[in-house]
């Protein structure tokens, strides 16, 4: 799966010999070498370790199961199957033939369309953080600690979930108690599905939910750093909301809209804060889709763009 494995987990899997803090690293490694020399520790070349490998028949069954799973999950990808073939070579014929096979297979995969596409995505994702004439001005992004979201519907609750998962304090505003309860319920359900899938502990769920607060008025907006409006696509409603936000939010606060169809210049028409109005267009479901469209108006200040990018 190409999943990164962190230190402690790697130790548990037998992939590393020990985990030590960085300032003890050289001394620990030196002691380890001296212990091997004095035969206090066995000298086992990692390449020839077989203690974690099942008997051949069982290993082949596991690999065939992995192939079936891979074809189901990624029917159009060749490289995960090639990885499995290389692992099998190592189990059947030993480490050296497997290393030769790996080099050969890698050279072939490197020229594939999949490889070119993945490399393109890698650089394209990093390219999104560079905006000519904006990010090259040396502006330092201001920290966003508290975020308010207007509207607890499918989009608003998804955006709230995404922010909670990134440890932001979130205020969710709705027009009445019934809608507010439903919005908080959606956030709970989003996080609850992570608990069910084993991606989040119950303790982490409680801690994450404690970052969320539901409100019915603008009073608690006085110290927020960012507001994201996610109400229905209605021009006059949005204009009224942004006029209210200007009254209640602090002057540094970013005023963002999740609109996908309405001109942002039109939304901010009744305000004097057009330099801090910006589009933050999430894609549904907001807490799963790793895409955010940032839309600047003719008046959005470079500082606001840098803040939201960050």
């Amino acid at each position: 799966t190409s999943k990164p494995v962190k230190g402690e987990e790697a130790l548990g899997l037998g992939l590393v010999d020990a985990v030590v803090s960085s300032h003890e690293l050289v001394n620990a490694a030196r002691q380890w070498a001296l212990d091997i020399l004095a035969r206090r520790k066995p000298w086992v070349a990692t390449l020839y370790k077989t203690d974690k490998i099942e008997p051949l028949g069982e290993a082949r069954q596991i690999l065939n199961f992995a192939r079936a799973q891979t074809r189901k999950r990624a029917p159009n990808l060749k490289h995960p199957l090639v990885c499995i073939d290389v692992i099998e070579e190592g189990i059947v014929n030993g480490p050296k033939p497997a290393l030769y096979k790996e080099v050969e297979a890698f050279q072939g995969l490197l020229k594939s369309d999949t490889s070119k596409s993945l490399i393109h995505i890698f650089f394209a994702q990093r390219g999104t953080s560079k905006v000519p004439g904006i990010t090259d001005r040396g502006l330092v992004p201001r920290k966003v600690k508290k975020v308010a979201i207007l509207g607890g519907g499918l989009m608003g609750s998804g955006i709230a979930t995404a922010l909670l998962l990134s440890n932001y304090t979130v205020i969710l505003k709705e027009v009445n108690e019934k809608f507010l309860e439903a919005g908080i319920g959606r956030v709970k359900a989003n996080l609850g599905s992570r608990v069910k899938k084993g991606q989040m502990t119950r303790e982490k769920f409680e801690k994450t939910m404690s970052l969320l607060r539901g409100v019915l008025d603008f009073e608690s907006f006085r110290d927020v750093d960012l507001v994201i409006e996610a109400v229905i696509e209605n021009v006059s409603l949005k204009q009224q909301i942004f006029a209210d936000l200007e009254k209640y939010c602090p002057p540094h606060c970013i005023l963002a809209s999740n609109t996908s169809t309405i001109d942002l210049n039109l939304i901010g028409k009744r305000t004097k804060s057009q330099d801090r109005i910006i589009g933050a267009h999430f894609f549904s479901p907001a807490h799963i889709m790793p895409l955010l469209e940032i839309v600047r108006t003719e008046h959005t200040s470079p500082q606001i763009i840098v803040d939201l990018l960050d």
Side-chain angles (χ1 to χ4, degrees):
T1 58
S2 304
K3 187 185 80 180
V5 178
K6 290 186 176 170
E8 291 298 339
E9 192 188 346
L11 182 65
L13 291 167
L15 292 173
V16 297
D17 289 315
V19 175
V20 294
S21 67
S22 54
H23 62 273
E24 291 169 6
L25 182 61
V26 176
N27 280 338
R30 187 183 284 135
Q31 192 54 54
W32 201 277
L34 290 168
D35 286 347
I36 288 171
L37 191 67
R39 304 211 169 155
R40 285 191 293 270
K41 273 196 171 85
W43 187 358
V44 184
T46 310
L47 197 58
Y48 294 94
K49 273 188 175 181
T50 56
D51 58 311
K52 297 271 181 184
I53 298 175
E54 293 80 0
L56 190 58
E58 204 181 317
R60 279 199 153 135
Q61 278 183 324
I62 292 167
L63 292 165
N64 286 334
F65 176 73
R67 283 188 182 99
Q69 290 288 90
T70 302
R71 287 191 187 103
K72 225 184 278 175
R73 278 188 198 154
N76 302 314
L77 294 183
K78 187 182 165 192
H79 58 279
L81 294 169
V82 173
C83 285
I84 296 170
D85 291 344
V86 171
I87 292 165
E88 186 162 30
E89 179 75 17
I91 290 168
V92 176
N93 297 318
K96 284 204 169 157
L99 286 174
Y100 285 118
K101 188 179 173 80
E102 185 179 336
V103 170
E104 199 184 319
F106 181 76
Q107 292 306 325
L109 290 171
L110 202 56
K111 299 180 183 84
S112 70
D113 285 346
T114 310
S115 167
K116 287 171 194 163
S117 301
L118 288 168
I119 291 166
H120 169 78
I121 287 173
F122 178 87
F123 287 109
Q125 282 183 328
R126 277 145 191 83
T128 58
S129 62
K130 294 178 183 73
V131 183
I134 300 291
T135 53
D136 46 17
R137 290 184 179 201
L139 293 166
V140 179
R142 296 171 301 175
K143 272 283 159 247
V144 169
K145 291 189 185 119
K146 198 172 185 183
V147 185
I149 294 161
L150 281 95
L154 203 62
M155 267 330 279
S157 58
I159 296 167
T161 308
L163 289 159
L164 291 168
L165 287 168
S166 295
N167 288 324
Y168 286 98
T169 301
V170 176
I171 291 170
L172 185 65
K173 183 191 176 300
E174 258 299 357
V175 287
N176 61 43
E177 202 64 63
K178 188 184 163 194
F179 285 177
L180 184 60
E181 214 172 290
I184 291 171
R186 284 186 196 99
V187 176
K188 262 191 187 154
N190 290 341
L191 293 174
S193 78
R194 292 177 77 86
V195 177
K196 265 186 209 156
K197 289 174 190 163
Q199 296 168 337
M200 184 184 252
T201 62
R202 195 75 217 167
E203 191 188 356
K204 180 75 177 141
F205 168 85
E206 300 295 347
K207 204 175 170 188
T208 306
M209 275 306 295
S210 72
L211 295 170
L212 179 68
R213 187 174 153 223
V215 299
L216 298 172
D217 56 40
F218 287 108
E219 277 311 313
S220 49
F221 280 44
R222 297 194 186 277
D223 63 344
V224 297
D225 306 303
L226 163 66
V227 176
I228 301 169
E229 167 274 310
V231 305
I232 54 167
E233 296 287 71
N234 176 305
V235 180
S236 55
L237 174 65
K238 287 181 193 279
Q239 284 180 334
Q240 184 54 55
I241 284 170
F242 276 82
D244 289 338
L245 287 173
E246 191 177 39
K247 284 181 220 156
Y248 287 95
C249 298
H252 74 274
C253 180
I254 302 162
L255 306 177
S257 173
N258 179 58
T259 184
S260 52
T261 57
I262 301 169
D263 183 349
L264 292 158
N265 294 298
L266 197 59
I267 286 173
K269 209 174 177 183
R270 293 192 204 163
T271 71
K272 296 184 189 75
S273 304
Q274 297 203 6
D275 59 334
R276 54 190 177 122
I277 289 175
I278 193 162
H281 177 214
F282 288 78
F283 292 76
S284 191
H287 58 294
I288 293 167
M289 291 285 276
L291 180 60
L292 170 68
E293 181 186 24
I294 294 176
V295 189
R296 53 176 151 168
T297 72
E298 295 151 21
H299 311 289
T300 310
S301 85
Q303 182 66 57
I304 293 287
I305 298 169
V306 168
D307 294 344
L308 194 54
L309 275 168
D310 187 61

